[in-house]
Amino acid sequence: MTEMTERNRTQSPEGEIESPVQTRKAVKRGGGDAATRGRTTIADGVVEKIAGMAARDVVGVHAMGSGLSRTFGAVRDRVPGGSKAVTRGVKVEVGEVQTALDLEIVVEYGVAIADVAEAVRENVIAAVERMTGLEVVEVNIAVSDVKLPDEEEEEPESRLQ
């Protein structure tokens, strides 16, 4: 052993080598649980993004938002630096412990709309409550359109040639 190691250790009366470093016990200061020492606020946009992603994950959901919002979104998506609007078709109200959501969806032709709406509602509630800890009091779903198999996607005309 090195000289430094020998100096840092001491021998107990029983002949065992002990280290002078002792572990400290965690001392709780200030009294109470850490969760009670401040508050967390969650912005509406955070809940909108979570809900938008959760709704899009459901089979049978073709798109989110009304025809007009999808058209403007398609234009925005084509702009360099623009990103897909995950929050398109999602409106929320966020309180301190509860939230309410309104979703506007477009479903695929042939799916049972009631089943898709139920699956969207369940998926959105589970995702929002798990990720935010907020209680979801309601999820209102408006089906604004049905995507037919032979319909073309709404693409704005390009001004560039």
Side-chain angles (χ1 to χ4, degrees):
M1 288 192 187
T2 65
E3 191 176 314
M4 183 61 113
T5 305
E6 287 296 328
R7 272 192 260 141
N8 288 338
R9 296 184 181 213
T10 58
Q11 223 172 10
S12 69
E14 293 85 30
E16 298 174 3
I17 297 177
E18 296 178 346
S19 174
V21 179
Q22 296 178 2
T23 57
R24 294 188 316 168
K25 289 185 179 178
V27 178
K28 215 176 203 183
R29 300 189 193 284
D33 187 22
T36 62
R37 295 192 207 174
R39 63 177 212 194
T40 303
T41 57
I42 299 171
D44 291 3
V46 172
V47 177
E48 287 174 350
K49 285 182 180 181
I50 294 168
M53 292 296 292
R56 282 174 176 78
D57 283 346
V58 174
V59 173
V61 174
H62 174 72
M64 301 284 295
S66 66
L68 185 60
S69 72
R70 290 194 324 269
T71 301
F72 284 129
V75 171
R76 234 185 351 261
D77 293 346
R78 288 176 168 256
V79 173
S83 61
K84 284 201 165 212
V86 176
T87 61
R88 186 181 310 139
V90 182
K91 301 271 189 271
V92 302
E93 288 182 44
V94 178
E96 287 187 29
V97 294
Q98 295 179 326
T99 186
L101 300 96
D102 294 322
L103 306 175
E104 189 171 2
I105 66 173
V106 176
V107 297
E108 299 280 346
Y109 177 79
V111 299
I113 293 173
D115 293 345
V116 171
E118 182 182 345
V120 167
R121 191 171 283 114
E122 288 173 357
N123 207 33
V124 167
I125 290 170
V128 170
E129 287 184 346
R130 179 178 52 83
M131 293 181 71
T132 66
L134 295 170
E135 176 191 2
V136 177
V137 292
E138 67 180 8
V139 177
N140 300 311
I141 299 172
V143 178
S144 62
D145 202 358
V146 174
K147 167 67 169 85
L148 299 175
D150 58 347
E151 268 183 340
E152 292 182 23
E153 288 294 318
E154 293 177 13
E155 297 258 345
E157 290 184 28
S158 176
R159 298 186 318 176
L160 303 176
Q161 294 187 16

